[in-house]
Amino acid sequence: MAEKHTTMASPLSSPRRVSKDVTESHLDGDDTSDVYITSESRKQIGLTSACFLIFNRMVGTGIFATPSSIFASSGSVGLALFIWVIGMLIAASGMMVYLEWGTGLPRNGGEKNYLEFFYRRPKFLATGFYTGYVVLLGWAGSNSVIFGEYILNAAQVEVNRWNQRGVGLACITAAFLIHGLALKWGLRLQNVLGVIKLIILLIIIFSGFAALGGHLKVDKPHNFDDAFKGTTGSAYGIVTALYNVIWSYIGYSNANYAMSEMRNPVRNLKIAAPLAILIVGILYMLANIAYFAAVPREEILSSGRILAASFFRNVFGPKAERALSVFVALSAFGNVLSVIFSQGRLVQELGREGILPFSRLWASNKPFNAPFAGLFEHWLVSVIIMLAPPPGDAYNFILNLISYPLSIVNIFVSFGLLYLHLPLPVRFRHSQAANWRPPVRATLPVIVFFFLSNIYLAVAPYVPPPTPADNQYKSLPYYLHCVVGLGILAAGGVYWVIWAKLLPWIGKYELRRAVVQEADGWSRNAFTHVRKEQ
């Protein structure tokens, strides 16, 4: 049987002739992951920028919006602080896992590269699942909701479903248009807002020291007198609190998505990732201590996602509460800018590799030298997820909906690294184990801890709350985010079945991957149809 090689712009498009600049390398034999070319002119990220990539992504609204629910779920000051420590350790172990993967495979794409490196059979299945994970999750939606809540609080307007979502919609739309139409100004604004985040946290921390000394507008709350009073031991409460903490640390892997654009990527990631985790971990712990030093227990429980506003009121008075609520909203906006910037580029990366339908559209940098289509896709999904949940549940639902699939992805990412580390007999070793020699290696106990932590985070949410009143949602089933999260991952699997199995069977062709050298000096993977003629 003769073979006829044709290329396509997307998995669902019709075949075309292979151009001369395509070097084909099949997954059945040679591995395209070893063929990766980039342009030196694209390497614009230095050590400082790498640190801010991680810092800006981690510090969003989590530290301002989640401590109240973490305290409510844990039941006591002592357990709440302990859960923040556990969350920091999980994030630090995850940073080490991603540090090894990132230095071993220093290229754009993050988890997509790591899953494809290890999970090679069935062919392209890991790619399909990851596509659903990237395309169908609206990461920027949650902080847009918080932006709306803090702006309305500053304006002394009662928060309801539609004014909160309306302001949030304006926030995420502005972020999308800034990055899509004026990329340089978007990056500058993003860096300025990153500095504002740092200033806000330092204000909270130093004000907390003053509050510990009794400098308050209200009576001293004495939250540390019996720190473990009211501790809950329910698995549901602890895992709910942990999800909130981990949400606040999401971003420790953010620099991994831009490794191809980083100068001296191995050295810079080795310094930037641990430094960012250390700084953020210290700031988070001190900020929580400040909250408990200035806000009474009952007020923490009733403040919801505007705990930082209550803190400012108790320390500085009502006028400062309104002013600093605006600055917290700006911090939320900075995080929305950071999230949509990176997620839009992940969509573009999937387009550049020919995975998505209409891949040329998603891969394009037209018309303003920015991934406008990829940014639009993330804006659209974020808006849908932001507007769908009922009042009061939007933030927690979005937070958990994003965190749950991430735990599933991290199970597979950490298991792959764990398997590569295990001293197995030759016949059980992975085919790439002998080639895996990254400059940085995470220790086996760290990998095991991260792996087991994510298994717990994936299983524990199915344990029902002790009473209906303990449900973190007001009008949604406690398990809904798990079901929807698994549905999103399953959608990626369905896409794989259609793209990699059903359509090739109908069209009598086989999908293979080829390396394409682009005019801008970057290589990319493209999928080809290999049609067999009788």
Side-chain angles (χ1 to χ4, degrees):
M1 293 186 291
E3 287 188 349
K4 181 182 178 182
H5 294 261
T6 54
T7 65
M8 58 180 179
S10 85
L12 303 181
S13 63
S14 57
R16 299 197 311 269
R17 293 178 59 85
V18 175
S19 60
K20 294 181 180 179
D21 62 349
V22 174
T23 304
E24 221 173 306
S25 182
H26 304 319
L27 288 186
D28 289 326
D30 299 332
D31 178 21
T32 60
S33 66
D34 296 329
V35 185
Y36 194 87
I37 303 170
T38 187
S39 169
E40 288 298 319
S41 63
R42 290 294 186 94
K43 294 182 178 292
Q44 302 293 326
I45 300 174
L47 177 58
T48 302
S49 296
C51 288
F52 270 102
L53 271 176
I54 301 170
F55 179 83
N56 282 335
R57 183 67 182 265
M58 279 197 289
V59 182
T61 58
I63 190 59
F64 307 118
T66 61
S68 176
S69 60
I70 292 168
F71 179 60
S73 298
S74 58
S76 70
V77 172
L79 183 57
L81 292 176
F82 182 73
I83 288 173
W84 275 96
V85 172
I86 295 298
M88 180 178 63
L89 293 176
I90 294 173
S93 63
M95 179 272 297
M96 287 302 302
V97 168
Y98 277 83
L99 184 58
E100 177 168 342
W101 277 118
T103 56
L105 297 171
R107 65 193 64 167
N108 283 9
E111 299 97 335
K112 175 183 175 296
N113 301 318
Y114 318 148
L115 295 172
E116 288 182 343
F117 179 87
F118 185 81
Y119 300 99
R120 297 174 173 240
R121 295 290 183 272
K123 194 160 60 172
F124 309 133
L125 178 59
T127 304
F129 278 122
Y130 190 73
T131 299
Y133 170 74
V134 168
V135 170
L136 298 178
L137 278 179
W139 293 72
S142 58
N143 284 330
S144 300
V145 170
I146 293 299
F147 175 87
E149 194 160 0
Y150 268 93
I151 286 291
L152 293 170
N153 181 72
Q156 295 184 325
V157 175
E158 183 180 357
V159 178
N160 59 50
R161 176 175 188 173
W162 296 114
N163 63 9
Q164 181 190 33
R165 313 293 174 87
V167 177
L169 178 61
C171 167
I172 193 172
T173 302
F176 158 55
L177 293 176
I178 288 170
H179 276 319
L181 304 178
L183 177 59
K184 289 184 178 180
W185 284 105
L187 292 172
R188 291 167 184 164
L189 179 59
Q190 191 169 297
N191 290 337
V192 169
L193 293 175
V195 174
I196 290 176
K197 297 177 192 181
L198 180 59
I199 293 172
I200 294 170
L201 280 175
L202 291 176
I203 291 174
I204 290 175
I205 289 167
F206 286 112
S207 301
F209 291 149
L212 285 172
H215 298 282
L216 289 167
K217 301 291 184 181
V218 297
D219 294 334
K220 194 172 182 179
H222 299 286
N223 284 323
F224 297 104
D225 290 352
D226 188 1
F228 286 92
K229 179 182 178 181
T231 296
T232 178
S234 72
Y236 178 82
I238 292 174
V239 77
T240 299
L242 261 178
Y243 267 124
N244 280 269
V245 173
I246 289 171
W247 165 253
S248 301
Y249 277 103
I250 284 178
Y252 55 79
S253 61
N254 205 39
N256 290 56
Y257 302 127
M259 293 292 288
S260 299
E261 302 171 58
M262 194 180 297
R263 297 189 295 270
N264 200 347
V266 172
R267 171 189 173 273
N268 286 339
L269 190 65
K270 283 169 59 177
I271 298 173
L275 182 61
I277 280 283
L278 179 63
I279 292 173
V280 171
I282 293 173
L283 291 176
Y284 279 1
M285 289 304 300
L286 293 177
N288 272 279
I289 292 172
Y291 290 144
F292 290 125
V295 185
R297 176 189 181 94
E298 294 74 18
E299 192 174 348
I300 294 174
L301 293 172
S302 63
S303 62
R305 290 175 294 277
I306 55 172
L307 174 60
S310 298
F311 173 85
F312 292 138
R313 181 181 62 250
N314 291 356
V315 176
F316 299 107
K319 292 183 179 179
E321 174 194 357
R322 295 179 63 185
L324 289 172
S325 289
V326 174
F327 284 104
V328 174
L330 289 176
S331 174
F333 182 54
N335 186 265
V336 172
L337 281 168
S338 176
V339 169
I340 200 169
F341 177 88
S342 59
Q343 294 302 121
R345 276 155 179 77
L346 281 178
V347 175
Q348 184 186 44
E349 189 72 14
L350 293 172
R352 284 176 59 85
E353 298 206 2
I355 296 169
L356 298 175
F358 314 109
S359 282
R360 280 187 171 179
L361 172 65
W362 307 118
S364 174
N365 266 329
K366 297 177 181 179
F368 300 105
N369 196 31
F372 191 88
L375 294 167
F376 172 78
E377 190 280 334
H378 190 71
W379 172 87
L380 181 62
V381 173
S382 296
V383 168
I384 292 172
I385 292 178
M386 183 173 64
L387 297 179
D393 286 335
Y395 180 77
N396 284 336
F397 178 75
I398 298 171
L399 182 154
N400 291 324
L401 178 60
I402 291 171
S403 300
Y404 188 79
L406 179 61
S407 297
I408 303 296
V409 170
N410 281 336
I411 287 173
F412 287 94
V413 168
S414 54
F415 176 79
L417 196 60
L418 176 62
Y419 196 91
L420 291 172
H421 273 248
L422 291 175
L424 299 172
V426 175
R427 62 175 178 169
F428 295 115
R429 289 179 192 167
H430 191 269
S431 60
Q432 292 296 310
N435 300 325
W436 185 244
R437 292 184 292 271
V440 178
R441 293 183 72 88
T443 63
L444 193 60
V446 167
I447 301 171
V448 170
F449 174 71
F450 188 59
F451 174 63
L452 295 178
S453 299
N454 281 283
I455 289 179
Y456 174 77
L457 291 171
V459 173
Y462 291 99
V463 178
T467 66
D470 293 318
N471 186 359
Q472 61 181 314
Y473 302 127
K474 296 179 180 179
S475 54
L476 298 176
Y478 71 91
Y479 54 81
L480 183 63
H481 63 274
C482 303
V483 175
V484 176
L486 289 176
I488 287 172
L489 294 174
V494 171
Y495 178 71
W496 171 79
V497 170
I498 296 172
W499 161 51
K501 295 296 181 183
L502 184 60
L503 291 182
W505 178 73
I506 294 174
K508 295 182 171 53
Y509 62 82
E510 179 184 359
L511 276 180
R512 295 192 183 178
R513 194 153 51 188
V515 177
V516 179
Q517 182 68 37
E518 297 282 13
D520 60 5
W522 277 33
S523 66
R524 67 178 177 88
N525 290 334
F527 286 94
T528 67
H529 290 164
V530 179
R531 182 164 294 159
K532 296 182 179 181
E533 297 179 353
Q534 299 293 335

